[in-house]
Amino acid sequence: MGRKLLLEHINVPGINTFDVYRSKGGYASVEKAIKTMSPDAIVEEVKKSGLRGRGGAGFPTGMKWSFLAKPEGVARYLVCNADESEPGTFKDRYLMTYIPHLLIEGMIVSSFALGANTSFIYVRGEMMPQIRILEKAIAEAKAKGFLGKNILGSGYDLELYVQPGGGAYICGEETALLESLEGKRGNPRIKPPFPAIAGLYGCPTVVNNVESIAAVVPIVNEGGDEYAKLGIGRSTGTKLISAGGNLKKPGVYEIDLGLPVEEFIYSDEYCGGIANGKRLKAVVAGGSSVPILPANLILKTVNNEPRLMSYESLSDGGFVSGTMLGSGGFIAYDEDACIVRNTWNFARFYHHESCGQCSPCREGTGWMEKVLHRLEYGHGRQSDMDLLVDISKKIEGNTICPLGDAAAWPVASAIRHFRDEFEWHVTNASEATTRNYGLAHYADPLPKLETA
Amino acid sequence: MKVTIDGIPVEVEPGTTILNAARQIGGDIVPPAMCYYSKLEGSGGKCRTCLVKVSKGSEKDPRPMPKLVASCRTTVMDGMEVQNITSPEVIEARKGVVEMLLINHPLDCPVCDQAGECHLQDLGFEHGAAKTRYEFDRRTFEKIDIGDKIQLHMTRCILCYRCVFTADQITNTRLHGILNRGDHSEISTYISKAIDNDFSGNIIDVCPVGALTDKTFRFKNRVWFTKPVDAHRDCDKCCGKTTLWYKGEDVIRVTGRKDVYGEVEEFICNTCRFDKKKTADWVIEGPRKISHKSVISSNHYEFTPLPVVKTNPVLMEANKEQFERDTRL
C-alpha cells in the first residue's frame, strides 16, 4: 500500500476546519519554514525532492522556482492554478473541498520561499462551493496568525486572495490565467517573456497547480530527500489520480508514482477493475488532452514491460505507442465504448473552448469537430480519417498555447489506434446512427453549439 | 548580433525579431505577416503565417528549437540560424495556416474592395491550394456600420486584432474589441456603438483583408484602375502625408502611405482621410512608386525599358510609340 502524503487525514471528521487540521500536525511546515529555514533553503528542498508540476506539463517545480527573477523593489507573486477543467480531471477540486488548509499551508510556505507578499488562488468560476470553502479557510488561518501581517512574529507578511475565474478552459493555461487575473479577456500570452520574468502585472510570477503547492508541505516537513525516495526514477513522490469512466470504483486516489497501471486498474485498493465485468478497451491516462491508448498498450509497453504510472513509463514509445501522465485524469473505457463518439465529444469540447486568438486552433478545432460529427452520425467517408489526421498535424505545434496540441492529440491517437472503428462508422452508417449511448435526447443532427 | 536566414547572414541590433531581421535583408526570405504590424505595440503572434524553423538556437546553445516559432515575436540570438523558404516544414505549415484562414474568409475578391491590396490574397496565391477540403457552412455576419465612414464586414475578418490594437493605441477611447471565443469570435463595437474619434480611419488601413472598408470609397473603383499619387498638406492633427488615389481628375480615396510590407509609414487623421478630397487641398509630390509585383502597377506609371532596349537605338525607335503612350499615362 502506497504512502499517503496529501490525503492521509482526508477522512478525519472536520479536517476542513483549522482546529482539527492543526491538531493533526497542520501548519507545522509554516512554523518550520518561517522560523528555521531561509527562502533559498526551501527552494533547494523542493529541487531535491524532484517534484514535477502536477498540472500536466510535469516541469520540475524547484527549477521553475529558481528561474524567478528577483529585481530589487519589484513585487513577486505566487499564483495557484485552481482552474481545473480538463475533462476527466477532478483531483484539485477534491483536495480543495475536503482539506483546504493543506493548500493554504502550501501557499504560505511557497510564498515565503519565493518572496511573495501577495498571492492568489485562481479558482474556476463554476466552483463556488470550493471558493467559499477556501475563503473560510483563509479567514481561519488569518485569525490564527498564519496569514496577514507579521506571520508568527517573523516579520513576513502575506495576503492571500481567492479569485474566481471566468469559467473558460483556456484560463487554466498559465498566461491566460494571468490575463484573466488582471481582469482582461483570458487569452494566452505569447512567450517569451515567461511569467518568471514578466507575469502578473508585469512582475515576476510563479504559477503552480494546487497539487504541486500542496506537495510542498510534506517536502518541507520531511525534507526533499525523503520525498524523493517515493516514486520511481525522475517521477518522484506521490500523485493524485482522478479515476473515472467504466471503473468499478472511480474516485481520487493518491498513488506512489511507479505503480503498475494494471495494479491501479484491477486491484481492490484502487479502481477494482472494470465495471459490470466488462473488458478494458482503452484508457486516457492523463486527462482528455493526452493521446488515448488501447488496452494492450496501456498495460504493457512496446517492449512488453509492465506500464507504470509515471511520467517516463507512460510516455515510453512517444505518441506512436505511448501517452502522457498529464494531470492524472485517468479515464477507462470498457468494450462497449464508442471511440468515435468519445473523440467527437472531446473535439466538441476543444472547439468550444478555443480562445480564437490564433488561426490554426480557432479554425482547425471547429473543422475537426464537424468532420467527427458527420462520421458519428453516419455521413462519413473513408477519406475523413486521413483528413482528420492532416488537420491535427496542421494544428499541432503551430499554435500560441498548448490547447491546439490538446485538441489534436486525442483525434490523431484515436485514429491511429482505432481506425477500424472509424471505418466501421463509414461502412455501417445506418447502424452507427441508430445506436443509443444513453444520450437519446440528442437529436440527429445535433444542434450546433451556441456561443457560451 | 549575427543571424542567418535561409543562408543569408545579417547583423542586427539585440532585441530585433527574426521577422525584422529578415526585413533588413528583404526579398523572398521575408516571412509573410497578417497580424504583425510594426507600428502597433504587442501585435503579432496570432495568425501564425510567419512561422519559421530555428535550426540553430545560438552560438552558445546551438540546439534547434523544437517547434516552429512565430518570427514576428521571437527575438534573434547571436549565431541563430533560421529557415524560412528553405524549410519544407515551414512551407507545409504555412499552407495549413492559409487553408485555415480561408475557411472563414470568402474568396469574394471580385467584389471585395481590398482586392489588389489584400495580404491574404497574396498569401493564398503563394501558398494556397486550388481547392479547399472544407465543406461545411461558413460563418456569416450582417455588415455593421461603425460610424458614418467605416463599414465592418465581419464575414471577411481573419481576427488579426490589428484594428483593436490601433483603436487601443492611437485613439483616445477604446470602443471595440473581440466578442465571444473560438471560431465564434467577432470584432465588434460595444453594443453597436460607432467608432468616433479623429484617428478611427486608420483601422481601415491596418486591416490586412477587406473586413474594414472606407465607405467613401466602397465600390467606386478597382484599385488597379486608380492612380496613386503622394501628396501632403499642413495638418494640425497628423503628419498630413498621404497617398491620393485618383480616378480621372477626382480624388476618390485618401490613405496613409504604405511601405513595401503594407504598413503605413505614419497614421493619418480622419480629416485628411475623409474630408480632403480635392486636389486643391493638397501639395502634390508625384506618382507613388508601386512595386512591379503588385497588381496596382498593372497599367502604369513608371515605364523602365529593359537595359537592352535603352541602349539599342533600333529597339528604341521600334518602341517609340510605346514610350510615348507610357509617358502620356
Side-chain angles (χ1 to χ4, degrees), chain A residues 101-122:
Chain A
H101 283 285
L102 183 65
L103 175 60
I104 310 297
E105 185 180 351
M107 285 297 287
I108 299 168
V109 176
S110 306
S111 301
F112 177 69
L114 296 166
N117 296 111
T118 308
S119 296
F120 298 89
I121 304 174
Y122 182 93

Side-chain angles (χ1 to χ4, degrees), chain B residues 28-211:
Chain B
D28 292 342
I29 64 150
V30 182
M34 300 296 292
C35 67
Y36 173 75
Y37 207 79
S38 62
K39 276 81 184 174
L40 299 172
E41 198 184 324
S43 65
K46 294 178 174 59
C47 69
R48 317 306 282 178
T49 56
C50 70
L51 291 173
V52 292
K53 186 179 173 69
V54 176
S55 51
K56 180 183 169 189
S58 66
E59 285 301 343
K60 275 187 190 166
D61 183 1
R63 287 176 301 172
M65 289 190 184
K67 291 178 177 179
L68 302 183
V69 298
S71 60
C72 64
R73 291 296 291 265
T74 309
T75 48
V76 299
M77 304 288 281
D78 193 29
M80 184 184 263
E81 287 177 13
V82 179
Q83 292 178 353
N84 179 32
I85 54 173
T86 52
S87 164
E89 196 185 339
V90 169
I91 301 299
E92 191 59 28
R94 204 165 284 156
K95 270 182 149 175
V97 172
V98 171
E99 188 173 24
M100 301 290 184
L101 286 172
L102 290 176
I103 284 178
N104 279 314
H105 180 94
L107 289 176
D108 63 347
C109 312
V111 295
C112 175
D113 270 292
Q114 192 84 357
E117 297 174 304
C118 175
H119 297 194
L120 186 56
Q121 199 176 21
D122 297 340
L123 194 67
F125 177 71
E126 287 159 14
H127 297 278
K131 202 176 158 195
T132 180
R133 296 175 293 172
Y134 188 86
E135 301 158 294
F136 304 94
D137 287 347
R138 265 73 169 180
R139 56 178 197 169
T140 52
F141 299 86
E142 292 297 316
K143 295 181 187 76
I144 305 172
D145 285 331
I146 41 180
D148 59 340
K149 301 286 199 317
I150 305 168
Q151 188 165 78
L152 169 62
H153 197 173
M154 251 316 293
T155 305
R156 291 184 190 137
C157 178
I158 57 161
L159 291 159
C160 70
Y161 288 56
R162 278 182 184 180
C163 59
V164 178
F165 283 112
T166 309
D168 267 354
Q169 292 171 22
I170 71 159
T171 64
N172 301 327
T173 48
R174 182 182 169 182
L175 292 168
H176 81 311
I178 312 281
L179 306 181
N180 304 327
R181 66 183 179 213
D183 58 2
H184 299 289
S185 302
E186 58 177 295
I187 303 279
S188 188
T189 50
Y190 175 64
I191 320 180
S192 297
K193 254 182 132 175
I195 295 182
D196 183 21
N197 54 60
D198 286 341
F199 285 79
S200 63
N202 289 296
I203 65 173
I204 301 166
D205 275 354
V206 300
C207 183
V209 294

Side-chain angles (χ1 to χ4, degrees), chain A residues 6 30 48 70 86 98 122 127-128 150 187 204-205 250 257 299 302 330 344 359 364 407 421 442:
Chain A
L6 307 181
V30 177
K48 271 193 227 166
K70 293 178 178 168
E86 177 99 339
Y98 295 107
Y122 182 93
M127 297 192 206
M128 277 320 290
N150 196 18
N187 280 352
T205 304
L257 282 166
L299 299 176
V302 276
F330 192 93
W344 167 62
S359 328
E421 195 163 327
Y442 282 144

Side-chain angles (χ1 to χ4, degrees), chain A residues 60 73 99 132 196 230 293 295 363 400 428:
Chain A
I99 188 159
R132 294 203 181 98
L230 299 172
L293 282 187
E363 307 293 350
I400 294 175
N428 298 278

